[in-house]
Amino acid sequence: MLSRIAESLFWIGRYIERADGTARIVDVLRLQLLEDPAAQEGEAARTVLSVIMGMPSDGAVGFTDVGDRLVFDRQNPSAIAGALLAARENARRARETLSTELWEAINTTWHRWQGLGRQDVTSRHLSWARERAALISGIADSTMSHDDAWHFLVLGRNLERADMTARLVATGGRPGTGAPWSVVLSSCGAQQAFMRSQRGLHSDDRAAAFLVLDREFPRSVFYAMTKAEQHLATLDPHADRIGVSDEARRQLGRVRTSLEFRATSEVLAELPEQMLRVQQSVNGAAQAVASRYFQAGPLPTWTEELV
């Protein structure tokens, strides 16, 4: 496969998932401010922008600022509008490889997003972005041949999902500014799956462990990292006799095994640090994929993207 096509497919998967993940992060903040009268809007908004998304925020900020920067900003590839626009541009470059249904879904999503208008952020904007991301992912899985093109797209999706779920988990339990775990679960679409797996027993530790370590929930950090490793192995099925030569698999495997084989209590005791390691490993894996498969060379880091 041409490296430029592979790169476009990889980024389609990442940008569609990023629009979905950003919508979920903003929705956590929206629900937190609605459900907790004591929540400090300025501090919570600054936590989302600076701590969770790595975007510098000087002066007073509020939910409106979060909406402007993470929902409506077309120039910011980490905003919903920017991610949808970037996904469409990559889809145009890989048009001959995408199924007709997938191209139409991505193109229609961008044009209808513009029709929603730029106004105060509402649940309509956020839920619509999540629904369209799910639709596009489903169409990709059901209308594309599961060959290298599809593997690059789904690899990008799972890398971004691991990163975004780690960021969502990092919003939970922060003293004074963190969202309740029930809100984080709901925004991840995990409430029912969590309650079924735990037979109705709810605690903050159980919720955090479910979103990080569950082997069967498709939005958990562990599940997304495992799937990403599987797609990397399919793209390069050569098995090394000693060690692993694929740097992307090595980056993911180190962190994934450290989560899998450590005691759950140890993972939860260092949750912010563990989630930061997940984000760093995803970035390292993406850089390694770019260096190995794409002509453009190393990918920009989150910080460089946001400048």
Side-chain angles (χ1 to χ4, degrees), residues 223-284:
Y223 186 99
M225 295 185 79
T226 301
K227 286 296 181 181
E229 287 184 73
Q230 291 174 358
H231 288 290
L232 285 167
T234 302
L235 288 167
D236 181 12
H238 173 73
D240 297 298
R241 183 165 179 172
I242 298 175
V244 176
S245 60
D246 187 340
E247 180 61 23
R249 288 178 65 191
R250 184 184 297 112
Q251 291 273 354
L252 295 175
R254 278 202 297 256
V255 175
R256 192 260 306 162
T257 53
S258 73
L259 292 174
E260 183 176 14
F261 295 106
R262 292 183 68 188
T264 302
S265 58
E266 293 180 8
V267 174
L268 298 181
E270 300 175 354
L271 196 57
E273 294 82 2
Q274 294 294 332
M275 294 304 95
L276 180 59
R277 289 186 64 212
V278 169
Q279 294 169 45
Q280 291 170 339
S281 72
V282 167
N283 185 62

Side-chain angles (χ1 to χ4, degrees), residues 42-219:
E43 289 302 316
R46 189 181 303 280
T47 296
V48 169
L49 287 173
S50 300
V51 180
I52 306 304
M53 300 300 288
M55 301 173 64
S57 53
D58 298 325
V61 294
F63 185 69
T64 301
D65 300 288
V66 173
D68 289 341
R69 299 178 68 178
L70 291 182
V71 178
F72 300 118
D73 187 358
R74 298 185 186 185
Q75 305 304 315
N76 179 5
S78 296
I80 296 173
L84 293 178
L85 176 58
R88 180 180 180 273
E89 291 307 304
N90 278 281
R92 288 178 64 245
R93 287 193 286 270
R95 178 66 186 87
E96 66 274 20
T97 306
L98 302 181
S99 66
T100 300
E101 294 86 352
L102 181 56
W103 159 249
E104 290 177 349
I106 295 172
N107 191 43
T108 300
T109 296
W110 168 243
H111 287 294
R112 289 187 179 174
W113 171 262
Q114 296 181 89
L116 293 178
R118 178 166 181 157
Q119 52 192 327
D120 292 339
V121 179
T122 65
S123 60
R124 179 189 178 201
H125 292 88
L126 305 177
S127 62
W128 188 87
R130 297 203 309 260
E131 289 169 5
R132 293 300 297 189
L135 174 69
I136 290 169
S137 295
I139 289 175
D141 292 346
S142 61
T143 64
M144 288 182 68
S145 296
H146 287 199
D147 53 13
D148 283 356
W150 178 80
H151 284 295
F152 275 111
L153 188 148
V154 182
L155 170 61
R157 178 199 303 167
N158 281 287
L159 286 177
E160 192 71 25
R161 181 170 293 180
D163 181 280
M164 283 305 216
T165 301
R167 292 172 188 270
L168 274 163
V169 169
T171 68
R174 290 181 176 273
T177 59
W181 281 106
S182 59
V183 170
V184 179
L185 282 168
S186 178
S187 291
C188 285
Q191 188 74 43
Q192 288 185 317
F194 170 71
M195 296 302 289
R196 286 183 60 193
S197 71
Q198 302 299 316
R199 300 182 180 180
L201 299 176
H202 186 288
S203 71
D204 289 350
D205 285 352
R206 287 172 181 262
F210 182 81
L211 290 174
V212 175
L213 300 170
D214 193 83
R215 288 185 172 89
E216 299 180 5
F217 182 62
R219 301 203 72 87

